[in-house]
Amino acid sequence: MRAVAEPALPIHHTPTDPRLMQAAQELEASFLAEMLKHSGLGKLPESMGGSEGEEHFQSLFLQEQAMVMVRAGGIGLAENIYQSLKERTDERP
């Protein structure tokens, strides 16, 4: 009986450029915040009154939720963005 090989897990590299990784994580968080916004998650109940301040608060809330998701591993977008940007910066003379 032949053993089935497990798929390789993605390798997470320790970033050598923390500022570049921070930018990649912020970009992933912005993407996730937009996805959360369009999914309706985090929508405030209408009983809050519907003022303009609530809309601003909601966007801050979604952005923070998204950043928490990124810090917990996110969807892997930040790692891919980081690697792509790192390759570009390494190619510069």
Side-chain angles (χ1 to χ4, degrees):
M1 185 173 226
R2 229 171 106 185
V4 178
E6 300 248 348
L9 295 173
I11 299 171
H12 296 283
H13 302 284
T14 303
T16 55
D17 187 341
R19 286 182 26 213
L20 196 58
M21 179 53 92
Q22 179 66 30
Q25 289 175 333
E26 288 173 4
L27 186 57
E28 180 177 0
S30 293
F31 173 77
L32 290 173
E34 281 299 310
M35 298 304 293
L36 290 171
K37 177 182 171 186
H38 291 289
S39 72
L41 291 175
K43 187 169 182 168
L44 296 171
E46 297 202 11
S47 64
M48 299 291 279
S51 70
E52 290 179 28
E54 285 179 28
E55 189 174 314
H56 182 68
F57 172 76
Q58 180 183 5
S59 70
L60 293 174
F61 177 70
L62 290 175
Q63 188 67 33
E64 188 57 33
Q65 275 187 316
M67 188 52 86
V68 168
M69 291 170 65
V70 169
R71 288 185 194 121
I75 59 174
L77 188 58
E79 179 71 22
N80 288 329
I81 293 169
Y82 173 80
Q83 291 302 325
S84 178
L85 292 174
K86 188 67 178 152
E87 287 173 13
R88 285 178 163 229
T89 58
D90 290 346
E91 291 174 1
R92 282 197 233 166

